[in-house]
Each structure stands twice: as C-alpha cells, then as structure tokens.
Amino acid sequence: MTNQVVEVRVLWLVIASVVAVDLIWLLASGMSVTVSPAKAIALCSVLLLVLVYTKFRPDRRISELATACAQLVVFTAAGAVLSYLTVTANFPLIDRQLAEADAALKLDWLAFFEWVDARPTIKGILVTAYDSSMIQVAVLLLWLSACDRVERMREFVWLFVATLLVIIPISWIIPAASAWVHFGVAERADAYHLADFNALRAGQMTRISLAQVNGLITFPSFHAALAVMLIYCSRGVKLLFPAFLVLNVLMLAATPTVGGHYFTDIIAGVGVVVCLAILHGGSWRALFARWTTAPSQAAGYLQTDEGRY
C-alpha cells in the first residue's frame, strides 16, 4: 500500500470521526440536520465517480479529483454542523479582547470600515474577491488535476481539513460575535451570520439546514486561512499562481469589512495555515513514509508524483 493510499484513507477516517461527533452531539442535544436533495445527489454523484474510475475504469486523475471533491464536500458539511453545535455552548464572547488586541497593534478597524464603505468601487472589488473562495477551490482542483499535480491536490485537502479542525475548537472555547457587532455597524453590513449565531446561543435553534448554513467562526478567520491555502497550493503553477496571488491578497484585504473580522482574526487564521503547512511538509510526510516504506528503502528517498523528497 502506497503512502498516498494511506493518506487518503486516514483522511476519510478523520472525516468519519467528525461525522460521528456530530451525530453524538446532535442526539445528546435534541437537534437535527436537514440535507437538501440537490446536495445529496451531488455527493452521491461524486462518490459514484470515485468508484467507477477507481475500480471499473481506472483513471488516476479523475479518481483523485473525484476523491478530493468528495472529501471536501463531506467534511465541509460535517464541519459546518460541528461549528453550529459549538456555538450552543454559549461561552463568553471575546470581542472586547480582540478589539483591544487590534488597538495594541495600532490597527483601527472602524476607520478601515468607514474608508471602504465610502468607496463603492473598492467595496465592490473586495466583495467580489471575498465571495470567490469556493469558485477558486473548484478552479484549483480542476487545474491541478489537469496538470497531473495530484500530490498538491491532496495537500490542499489535508490543509483544508486540518485548518478547520484547529479553528473550530478555538472558536468554540473563545467565540466572538464579529467586529460588525462590537463597533455597532451590523446594520450597514451584510451580517448574514448573526441570526443563526444569536439563535444558537439563545437555545432557540433546533434544526440545522445544510442548504442554508452560514460561516459562524470569527476567531481565527477561516476565510483568511483559505486565502493563504489557495496561494500556497497554487505555487509553481503557471498562470494560476499570479491570478490567485492577486485575488487572495484582495480576499485578505476584504476579510475585515466584508467578513466582519478583526485584524487579529486574520493574523491568527494565517498563522494556523503557516504552522500546518510546515508540519505537513515535514512531520506528516515522514509519518506516512514510515508507514509505507520498506526497511530497505528507509535510507533512500520517498518518490511521489511531484518528485523526490
């Protein structure tokens, strides 16, 4: 069994564990989840592609792409449910502390918000960049598959999953409502998450609709983390990297105003990805190599589809 196969299987095990935690928490809390038929059909279709192009008509590129998509779809749904459940813990909010951290760094969130809000063209550009994240993920996966960079594709999926597994527990223990709320400008922004956030904290929401889930995490910012992931995983890919670099720098710039994040949220989100990328490049790869490399090869190198390590 190759290290790539082990890595994919371990990732499925991690995802299954998150689903199990969701189910146990839902049963214990009396809450429920509804799944839209469209999403269920999409997931079944992707899983069918994995089966067909792995077992019946083997095609490595299509199989890897379908596997990556299936893992992201399942984990995104499981992660969204978990993030909703954590909000019900109703721990004390840390908005004041986050605002104070921004102030200590000489970063004036409200001044930046007012500056952007007074410039419709800049605001529109930032909104477009911020809303492009999922489209960028799709483009990245398709592009890497077309270029036969399946190792890079697996790296992105691992970073996506690992980042959320770090961020969700942090946001659970030290939640925040958002900079929009703290600075009193929620009515001037698209504070899309507040209805669910407040209802969950008040114990008034008992059903989670996967067709209408919103991002409830403020600290650390997952949007900022995703921007760094997209830049990092497009590195070395002609045409794609320059476009992603510009677009995701804009996404980072949009995160305070369009996403309602404190500057501290962005710093923390970026820091999580940087640490995990370093870990993945070293310890994770060595771990999988030890599991799958024969003793006679241990002193040699690990061969992947992107070269030697």
Side-chain angles (χ1 to χ4, degrees):
M1 187 184 300
T2 66
N3 67 303
Q4 291 92 344
V5 172
V6 172
E7 189 171 355
V8 170
R9 290 185 178 181
V10 170
L11 185 53
W12 275 122
L13 180 61
V14 170
I15 295 171
S17 299
V18 176
V19 172
V21 170
D22 285 347
L23 291 175
I24 294 170
W25 198 329
L26 286 166
L27 289 173
S29 65
M31 297 180 68
S32 62
V33 173
T34 59
V35 182
S36 68
K39 288 195 173 184
I41 292 172
L43 176 59
C44 290
S45 299
V46 173
L47 292 175
L48 181 61
L49 284 175
V50 174
L51 179 63
V52 169
Y53 287 102
T54 301
K55 300 295 184 182
F56 302 111
R57 294 188 59 185
D59 186 303
R60 188 172 61 91
R61 291 190 189 184
I62 298 178
S63 173
E64 291 279 1
L65 176 60
T67 299
C69 291
Q71 290 178 328
L72 285 174
V73 169
V74 176
F75 181 74
T76 299
V81 172
L82 185 58
S83 70
Y84 266 61
L85 291 171
T86 60
V87 175
T88 63
N90 202 22
F91 286 125
L93 299 176
I94 63 162
D95 288 87
R96 179 179 59 81
Q97 291 87 342
L98 292 174
E100 289 175 352
D102 279 4
L105 295 171
K106 308 299 182 183
L107 298 170
D108 191 332
W109 187 93
L110 188 58
F112 184 61
F113 177 87
E114 296 289 1
W115 185 86
V116 172
D117 199 50
R119 293 162 175 80
T121 301
I122 292 176
K123 184 177 180 179
I125 292 172
L126 295 180
V127 169
T128 300
Y130 191 84
D131 291 342
S132 71
S133 58
M134 289 300 103
I135 295 175
Q136 286 191 67
V137 170
V139 170
L140 177 69
L141 295 179
L142 289 169
W143 202 300
L144 292 177
S145 176
C147 296
D148 200 19
R149 305 288 289 272
V150 294
E151 177 74 10
R152 185 68 59 78
M153 188 160 48
R154 282 193 296 269
E155 182 178 33
F156 174 78
V157 177
W158 265 109
L159 280 175
F160 188 99
V161 171
T163 299
L164 269 177
L165 287 180
V166 171
I167 285 178
I168 289 176
I170 294 174
S171 68
W172 172 22
I173 303 301
I174 46 176
S178 78
W180 293 325
V181 174
H182 180 77
F183 289 103
V185 297
E187 70 283 354
R188 296 167 55 190
D190 183 17
Y192 47 83
H193 75 298
L194 282 180
D196 287 355
F197 185 80
N198 292 333
L200 286 164
R201 286 180 62 84
Q204 299 170 344
M205 186 175 183
T206 59
R207 178 172 296 179
I208 303 169
S209 173
L210 286 179
Q212 299 174 340
V213 289
N214 295 305
L216 304 183
I217 297 172
T218 294
F219 176 84
S221 167
F222 182 68
H223 238 94
L226 183 56
V228 176
M229 274 186 268
L230 290 166
I231 294 172
Y232 177 70
C233 290
S234 65
R235 68 193 187 280
V237 181
K238 293 180 179 179
L239 300 179
L240 187 64
F241 176 74
F244 269 30
L245 179 61
V246 172
L247 193 54
N248 287 291
V249 167
L250 289 173
M251 190 193 299
L252 286 169
T255 304
T257 57
V258 183
H261 287 280
Y262 301 91
F263 290 104
T264 307
D265 301 339
I266 300 167
I267 295 169
V270 170
V272 168
V273 176
V274 170
C275 291
L276 288 174
I278 293 171
L279 179 61
H280 183 265
S283 301
W284 290 9
R285 191 179 300 281
L287 175 63
F288 289 119
R290 285 197 297 271
W291 285 355
T292 60
T293 303
S296 61
Q297 297 175 313
Y301 58 82
L302 172 64
Q303 180 73 38
T304 73
D305 53 20
E306 287 196 331
R308 300 179 181 180
Y309 290 84

